[in-house]
């Protein structure tokens, strides 16, 4: 007589979408790296393209020969992150953002503000909020070195925050797969100020999803002190806290208020001293320059809709800013009409809002897309092992088979 059993956890785990680890995925990554290395005019990007192409190609070969996805992924990370990072550290090359962060840290320690008084060329501008200078303090204090490079501290902050935002069982595997993604591997190697911002946003939404308003506010306040792109995460987290309280509206309102106060206090402590030190320089660097309102043109000029409008259409800059405002308004309305009920839903909503903002900013670049990519990856990684309706269907099927066998 045949025996039947309920599906084991390992069986249910197979219902999860497979992580991108097959040969076709790594071949696509290799083609992407090769294209960037071939056509980029930036030296660090060309170094990354050459090394990453080798790493992704080796991962594709291993996957095609039946090696485990974990082995192929480790090879991809070694070739796309570790190898180019070590080469660039050895020759002292990095993306411009790394130099900006290191210089701003030195100014912060010596002048009390990370913003030069009279910026003249794009390289003089520091478009980041004062908290970003913290990643350059080791180099400003101890001098340039292997362990003081700002990109190491930015990468560590990103990976640490992203891992802490995940359930305990996913804190090793998910960050490893995300680091292998070309859009994340590139800034990890050449330097990317957007990574720690994205990681802290995930950490803040995770705290909000668990009902921990204080922790969520602290993480979001830290992110908000780094870059303006983190600020949309605050209202999203507040909407999540207000609704994810089991129907207790008063409790949800108190949690949202606590989160808002902690976030604003944290950001104010880190931003206001430098902003009040020289308000004119603060505005020129972190407001006017990113919006394209200064004489110096930002190097962020990827052919996205906002930049194309500002460059090729009369009055296009005003139109782009108007579209940017409309995107923010639509996000706010969606939070009021249909607030997210889970942390994953909140991350998806925030990713969509940031995607629209990146598209319509007059000065934007493809690298900013790391924000919605990280948020989306985090939301997908948090999905349960199997959808409930799939479990119910399998249980019902097993019960039906048992009844037929008993007859």
């Amino acid at each position: 007589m045949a025996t039947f059993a309920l599906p084991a956890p390992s069986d249910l785990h197979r219902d999860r979408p497979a992580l991108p680890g097959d040969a076709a995925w790594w071949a696509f990554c290799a083609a992407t790296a090769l294209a960037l290395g071939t056509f980029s005019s930036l030296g660090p990007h060309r170094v990354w393209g050459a090394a990453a192409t080798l790493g992704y190609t080796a991962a594709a070969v291993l996957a095609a020969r039946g090696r485990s996805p974990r082995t192929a992924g480790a090879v991809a990370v070694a070739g796309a992150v570790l190898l180019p990072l070590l080469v660039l550290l050895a020759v002292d090359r990095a993306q411009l953002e790394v130099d900006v962060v290191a210089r701003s840290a030195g100014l912060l320690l010596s002048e009390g503000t990370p913003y030069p008084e009279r910026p003249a060329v794009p390289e003089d501008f520091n478009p980041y909020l004062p908290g970003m200078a913290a990643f350059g303090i080791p180099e400003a204090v101890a001098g340039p070195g292997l362990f003081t490079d700002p990109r190491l501290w930015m990468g560590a902050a990103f990976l640490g925050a992203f891992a802490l935002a995940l359930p305990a069982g996913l804190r090793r595997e998910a960050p490893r797969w995300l680091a292998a993604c070309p859009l994340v591997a590139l800034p990890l190697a050449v330097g990317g100020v957007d990574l720690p911002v994205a990681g802290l946003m995930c950490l803040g939404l995770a705290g909000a999803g668990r009902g921990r308003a204080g922790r969520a506010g602290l993480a979001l306040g830290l992110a908000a002190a780094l870059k303006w792109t983190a600020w949309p995460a605050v209202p999203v987290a507040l909407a999540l806290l207000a609704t994810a309280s089991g129907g207790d509206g008063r409790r949800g309102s108190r949690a949202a208020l606590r989160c808002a106060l902690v976030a604003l206090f944290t950001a104010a402590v880190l931003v206001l001293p430098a902003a009040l030190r020289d308000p004119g320089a603060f505005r020129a660097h972190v407001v006017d320059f990113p919006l394209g309102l200064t004489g110096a043109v930002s190097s962020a000029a990827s052919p996205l809709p906002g930049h194309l409008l500002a460059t090729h259409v009369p009055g296009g800059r005003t139109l782009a800013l108007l579209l940017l405002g409309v995107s923010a308004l639509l996000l706010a309305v969606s939070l009021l009409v249909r607030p997210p009920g889970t942390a994953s839903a909140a991350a998806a909503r925030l990713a969509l809002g940031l995607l629209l903002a990146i598209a319509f900013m007059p000065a934007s670049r493809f690298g900013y897309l790391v924000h919605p990519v990280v948020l989306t990856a985090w939301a997908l990684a948090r999905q349960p092992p199997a959808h409930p309706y799939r479990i119910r269907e399998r249980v019902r099927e097993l019960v039906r088979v048992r009844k037929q066998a008993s007859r």
Side-chain angles (χ1 to χ4, degrees), residues 191-203:
V193 296
D194 296 294
L195 288 178
V197 179
L200 286 171
M201 286 194 293
C202 292
L203 187 59

Side-chain angles (χ1 to χ4, degrees), residues 28-196:
F28 169 78
C29 292
T32 302
L34 179 61
L36 180 64
T38 302
F39 296 106
S40 176
S41 60
L42 302 177
H45 287 195
R46 292 196 296 269
V47 171
W48 178 85
T53 299
L54 294 176
Y56 289 136
T57 301
V61 172
L62 291 174
R65 292 183 175 181
R67 294 295 182 92
S68 69
R70 179 173 297 181
T71 300
V75 171
V77 171
V81 179
L82 298 180
L83 177 59
L85 177 60
L86 291 175
V87 171
L88 291 171
L89 286 172
V91 299
D92 194 21
R93 296 290 300 276
Q95 199 162 261
L96 176 61
E97 285 87 336
V98 178
D99 296 331
V100 171
V101 170
R103 184 188 65 213
S104 66
L107 288 172
L108 180 64
L109 295 179
S110 61
E111 306 292 337
T113 174
Y115 307 109
E117 289 186 7
R118 296 179 181 84
V121 295
E123 290 75 13
D124 294 338
F125 282 89
N126 172 18
Y128 316 121
L129 292 174
M132 191 67 74
F135 297 110
I137 289 178
E139 182 171 314
V141 172
L146 180 62
F147 299 106
T148 60
D149 193 280
R151 81 191 93 176
L152 296 179
W153 296 97
M154 290 188 288
F158 161 66
L159 293 174
F162 185 82
L164 288 176
L166 291 168
L170 297 174
R171 288 177 181 172
R172 289 186 177 181
E173 205 67 24
R176 186 184 309 165
W177 284 101
L178 184 60
C181 174
L183 203 58
V184 176
L186 173 63
L188 280 175
V190 304
V193 296
D194 296 294
L195 288 178

Side-chain angles (χ1 to χ4, degrees), residues 165 201-202 204-210 236 240 244 340-350 375 378-379 382-383:
M201 286 194 293
C202 292
L205 292 179
R210 298 173 188 140
V236 175
L240 174 60
T342 65
S344 295
R349 187 78 56 87
L350 179 59
L375 287 165
W378 178 74
R382 286 174 51 88
Q383 294 301 315

